[in-house]
C-alpha cells in the first residue's frame, strides 16, 4: 500500500503561492527529469545491424561502415511523452507511486508515468527514414464482423415432406388406371384410377337408406364409414346429390407430383394395405451435407449457406439449414446437416452433387490482420505502434482466424495500432533490448464468476493499480475533513485503470466492484466538495468493501489503514492513523476489524466499543 499522498491545506497553500495562484502542472517536473535522463543515456545504433549499440554520436558501424542513428533510451521511455498520466513514480525506482504530483522525504519530485509509457516498457524508437525502408505498415485494432468460412460437399435428395402415398383400404379391383408408368406427371385433383369393391357398394346403399329415413345420427355414422373405406369427400358429395350408387368409385390425386413408384396394373386385385403408387413433388429438395465433427458446434439451424451445382449452373445459389442430424459417422468423423432448397424451376435432381460453403460464427470480434501476429515458443505477440517512431511488443491471446483477420481475446484494446508489415525487424530489435521479456502478458487465470476475491491471482503491480481506488477514498476523506475541493484531474488515473483491470479480470467478482467504484469516481468529479462529495465517498466505499474485507485485508491492515463505519448509517471510510474523523457528520465512529485469514474460522470477532464521537469529527 502506498503511503498517504495528500497535500495538507498549508502545503496546498504554499504550492499555490509558488505557482502564482495556479495549480502546478502535474507533469512539469516529470518532463524535466525525463529529458535529463534521456540526455545522459543517449545511444546510437546501425540501421542495418541494430545489435550494435554505441554512445558515440559521430561513430560508424564497424560491420558495414554506415553512420549511426539515434536509438531509444535505455529505460524505453521518451522525453516529451504525451497522453493521460496514470500515476507518478519515485525517481529512484522505489516501489512507491502516487496518483498526484508529490515529493519524497528528500525533496525529490516524483516522475509522471503516462498511459502510453505504462504499456511500452522495452520500447524502441526508429527514425522515419528507417521505417520507410523497412516497409512498416500500421493497422488499427478494431471490431470487425467476420467468421471462419467452411466448405463442404453434399448430395441432392428428395424432400420427404412432399411425398404422398396411395394405399388401399378395401378389397376390390383396379379399373381405368390413368397412371401407367413411373415418371408420369400428376396434377392435384387428377383422376388416378377407379376401384370396384362390393364392400364399398354395400356401404353406399346403407348411406342412401339413411338419407331416405332422415336420421341425422345414422347419416353421420354411415358417412364416416364411407370415409374410412377410402371414399373421398367429393365422391360422397356426388353420391348425396345423385342418390345413385357409384359402382366404380373414382380416386383423385390430393397433391401433385411425379409418380415415383407404381405397384399395380389395370385389373389388379387389391386388399387393405396394398400399396398402389407413390407421388413425389420436386418443387423443393433437400441437400444432405457432411460437416467435420469439430465444426458442428458452430453450425445452427436457420443458418444460410451458399450453393453451387456442377450439373445445374442455373439452380438456386442459396439455401438454409433446417436440421442437424444427431449422429456422427465413425468412419469419416463427420456429421450430416440438412439444407432446404427451393426447386420450383426443377433444375435439381436427386443424387446431384453440391458444393457448399457457409460462414461459421460470423459476429463482431476484436481483431487485427493475421499478418500482424508473430508466433514463437513463448506464444503469440504483436508489435504496437505508438507514433513518432516508437514501437514495443505485446503478448496477446488469439482466437478465430478467418478472412485474413485474427480474433484477439486478450492483450489489446480497440483503437490501438499494430504493425502489420515489416514487424520482423522491429521484433528482432525489441528482443535484443529484452523488451519482450518485460511484456505485460495477460494473467493466465483459471477463474470464473464464483472464484472468491481472495483467490484471484493478483501480483504487486496489479495490487498497486487497485490501490488507486483506495487512495481516492483517502483523498475524498481528507478533502471533506479539511473542507477543500478535490481536483477532478487527480481522479482520472484511477478511472483510466478501471477498464484495463476489468478486461484483465473479466467474468470475476472484481468486475462489479470496479464498475461501481468507477461510477462513483466519475460522479465525484462533478461533486468536488461538501455533501455531494460525501455521497460519492459513501458510494465508493460501498463498492470497495467486498475487496477490502474479502480480497486482501491483510495488505491494508499492514499498511496502517483503519476502516471505520458511521454508527446508525453504516457508511464507511478509510483513515491512515490518528483519531477517527467522521467525514459524514457528528455521529459516532466504529472500527471495522480487518479479517484475519489465519485465525480460527469458528472464533467470533472481538467487539470494540464505539470511538469517541467528538474526536476529530467533521
Amino acid at each position: 500500500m502506498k503511503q498517504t499522498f495528500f497535500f495538507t491545506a498549508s502545503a496546498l497553500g504554499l504550492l499555490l503561492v509558488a505557482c502564482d495562484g495556479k495549480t502546478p502542472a502535474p507533469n512539469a517536473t516529470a518532463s524535466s527529469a525525463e529529458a535529463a535522463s534521456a540526455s545522459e543515456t543517449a545511444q546510437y545504433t546501425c540501421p542495418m545491424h541494430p545489435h550494435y549499440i554505441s554512445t558515440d554520436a559521430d561513430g560508424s558501424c564497424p560491420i558495414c561502415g554506415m553512420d549511426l542513428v539515434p536509438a531509444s533510451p535505455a529505460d524505453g521511455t521518451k522525453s516529451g511523452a504525451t497522453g493521460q498520466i496514470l500515476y507518478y513514480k519515485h525517481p529512484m525506482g522505489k516501489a512507491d507511486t502516487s496518483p498526484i504530483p508529490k515529493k519524497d522525504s528528500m525533496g525529490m519530485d516524483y516522475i509522471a508515468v503516462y498511459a502510453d509509457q505504462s504499456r511500452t516498457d522495452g520500447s524502441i524508437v526508429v527514425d522515419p527514414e528507417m521505417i520507410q525502408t523497412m516497409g512498416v505498415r500500421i493497422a488499427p485494432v478494431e471490431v470487425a464482423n467476420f467468421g471462419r468460412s467452411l466448405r463442404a460437399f453434399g448430395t441432392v435428395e428428395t424432400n420427404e415432406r412432399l411425398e404422398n402415398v396411395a394405399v388401399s383400404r378395401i378389397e376390390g379391383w383396379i379399373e381405368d388406371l390413368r397412371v401407367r408408368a413411373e415418371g408420369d406427371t400428376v396434377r392435384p385433383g387428377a383422376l388416378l384410377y377407379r376401384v370396384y369393391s362390393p364392400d364399398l357398394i354395400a356401404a353406399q346403399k346403407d348411406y342412401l337408406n339413411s338419407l331416405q329415413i332422415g336420421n341425422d345420427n345414422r347419416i353421420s355414422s354411415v358417412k364416416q364409414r364411407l370415409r374410412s373405406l377410402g371414399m373421398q369427400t367429393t365422391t360422397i358429395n356426388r353420391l348425396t346429390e345423385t342418390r345413385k350408387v357409384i359402382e366404380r368409385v373414382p380416386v383423385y390425386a390430393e397433391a401433385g407430383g411425379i409418380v415415383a413408384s407404381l405397384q399395380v396394373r389395370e385389373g389388379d386385385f387389391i386388399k387393405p394395405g396394398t400399396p398402389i403408387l407413390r407421388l413425389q413433388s420436386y418443387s423443393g429438395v433437400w441437400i444432405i451435407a457432411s460437416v467435420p465433427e469439430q465444426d458442428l458446434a458452430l453450425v445452427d439451424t436457420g443458418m444460410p449457406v451458399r450453393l453451387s451445382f456442377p450439373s445445374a449452373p442455373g439452380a438456386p445459389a442459396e439455401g438454409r439449414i433446417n436440421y442437424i442430424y444427431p449422429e456422427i459417422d465413425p468412419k469419416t468423423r463427420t456429421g450430416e446437416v440438412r439444407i432446404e432448397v427451393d426447386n420450383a424451376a426443377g433444375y435439381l435432381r436427386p443424387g446431384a452433387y453440391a458444393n457448399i460453403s457457409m460462414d461459421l460464427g460470423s459476429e463482431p470480434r476484436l481483431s487485427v490482420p493475421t499478418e500482424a501476429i508473430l508466433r514463437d515458443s513463448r506464444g503469440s505477440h504483436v508489435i504496437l505502434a505508438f507514433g513518432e517512431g516508437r514501437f514495443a511488443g505485446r503478448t496477446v491471446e488469439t482466437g478465430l482466424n478467418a478472412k485474413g483477420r485474427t480474433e484477439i481475446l486478450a492483450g489489446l484494446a480497440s483503437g490501438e495500432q499494430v504493425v502489420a508489415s515489416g514487424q520482423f525487424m522491429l521484433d528482432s530489435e525489441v528482443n535484443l533490448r529484452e523488451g519482450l521479456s518485460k511484456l505485460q502478458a495477460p494473467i493466465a487465470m483459471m477463474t470464473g464468476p464464483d472464484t472468491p476475491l481472495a483467490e484471484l491471482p493478483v501480483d504487486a503491480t496489479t495490487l498497486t493499480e487497485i490501490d488507486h481506488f483506495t487512495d481516492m477514498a483517502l483523498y475524498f476523506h481528507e478533502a471533506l475533513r479539511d473542507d477543500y475541493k478535490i481536483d477532478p484531474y487527480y481522479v482520472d488515473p484511477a478511472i483510466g485503470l478501471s477498464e484495463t483491470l476489468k478486461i484483465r479480470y473479466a467474468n470475476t467478482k472484481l468486475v462489479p466492484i470496479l464498475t461501481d467504484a468507477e461510477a462513483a469516481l466519475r460522479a465525484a468529479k462533478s461533486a468536488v466538495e461538501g455533501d455531494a462529495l460525501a455521497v460519492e465517498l459513501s458510494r465508493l466505499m460501498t463498492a470497495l468493501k467486498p475487496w477490502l474485507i474479502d480480497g486482501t485485508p491483510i495488505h491494508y491492515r499492514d499498511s496502517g489503514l483503519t476502516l471505520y463505519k458511521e454508527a446508525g448509517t453504516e457508511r464507511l471510510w478509510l483513515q491512515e492513523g490518528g483519531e477517527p474523523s467522521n467525514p459524514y457528520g457528528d455521529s459516532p465512529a466504529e472500527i471495522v476489524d480487518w479479517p484475519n485469514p489465519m485465525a480460527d474460522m469458528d472464533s467470533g470477532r472481538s467487539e470494540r466499543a464505539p470511538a469517541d464521537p467528538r474526536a476529530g469529527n467533521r
Side-chain angles (χ1 to χ4, degrees), residues 265-484:
R265 292 294 181 268
E266 180 75 22
D268 277 355
F269 177 74
I270 56 176
K271 297 179 180 181
T274 300
I276 299 174
L277 57 84
R278 179 168 60 87
L279 292 177
Q280 177 66 55
S281 173
Y282 295 97
S283 60
V285 295
W286 288 343
I287 296 176
I288 306 301
S290 297
V291 177
E293 179 182 3
Q294 64 271 20
D295 295 323
L296 280 175
L298 301 175
V299 178
D300 198 4
T301 56
M303 181 182 294
V305 299
R306 298 183 296 276
L307 305 168
S308 64
F309 305 89
S311 62
E318 295 181 353
R320 195 168 293 275
I321 296 174
N322 70 347
Y323 182 66
I324 302 173
Y325 290 87
E327 301 90 3
I328 298 291
D329 188 330
K331 294 182 180 179
T332 62
R333 308 311 305 172
T334 59
E336 292 185 338
V337 299
R338 189 173 70 201
I339 303 168
E340 195 168 22
V341 183
D342 179 61
N343 190 38
Y347 289 111
L348 301 178
R349 302 172 183 271
Y353 184 84
N355 291 313
I356 305 159
S357 61
M358 62 188 79
D359 293 328
L360 302 181
S362 182
E363 60 185 37
R365 304 171 188 273
L366 184 67
S367 61
V368 298
T370 300
E371 57 188 342
I373 303 296
L374 299 172
R375 291 182 173 87
D376 56 21
S377 60
R378 293 162 296 186
S380 301
H381 58 275
V382 298
I383 301 299
L384 286 170
F386 298 100
E388 300 181 359
R390 191 151 55 91
F391 303 91
R394 174 83 64 81
T395 298
V396 296
E397 184 178 339
T398 60
L400 186 68
N401 295 314
K403 298 182 178 180
R405 299 195 68 83
T406 297
E407 181 183 13
I408 299 298
L409 301 178
L412 293 175
S414 179
E416 291 186 299
Q417 301 287 326
V418 297
V419 179
S421 178
Q423 68 270 44
F424 295 100
M425 292 187 67
L426 295 173
D427 183 47
S428 299
E429 175 73 1
V430 172
N431 273 301
L432 287 170
R433 298 171 186 274
E434 299 182 347
L436 290 178
S437 64
K438 301 177 182 178
L439 292 177
Q440 296 180 355
I443 299 176
M445 297 187 296
M446 297 298 294
T447 58
D450 297 328
T451 304
L453 290 170
E455 296 180 13
L456 293 179
V458 178
D459 56 19
T461 300
T462 301
L463 188 57
T464 299
E465 293 172 344
I466 298 175
D467 282 350
H468 279 68
F469 294 90
T470 57
D471 287 344
M472 288 298 101
L474 291 168
Y475 182 29
F476 294 171
H477 172 265
E478 182 172 290
L480 291 169
R481 183 192 65 190
D482 295 341
D483 197 20
Y484 66 83

Side-chain angles (χ1 to χ4, degrees), residues 5-14 478 481-482 484:
F5 51 83
F6 308 111
F7 293 119
T8 62
S10 58
L12 282 173
L14 291 174
E478 182 172 290
R481 183 192 65 190
D482 295 341
Y484 66 83

Side-chain angles (χ1 to χ4, degrees), residues 205-219 222 243:
K205 291 179 180 180
D206 193 11
Y207 178 67
L208 293 176
N209 290 334
S210 301
L211 290 175
Q212 187 175 2
I213 295 173
N215 188 326
D216 292 340
N217 291 335
R218 182 174 176 80
I219 292 172
V222 177
R243 305 295 176 99

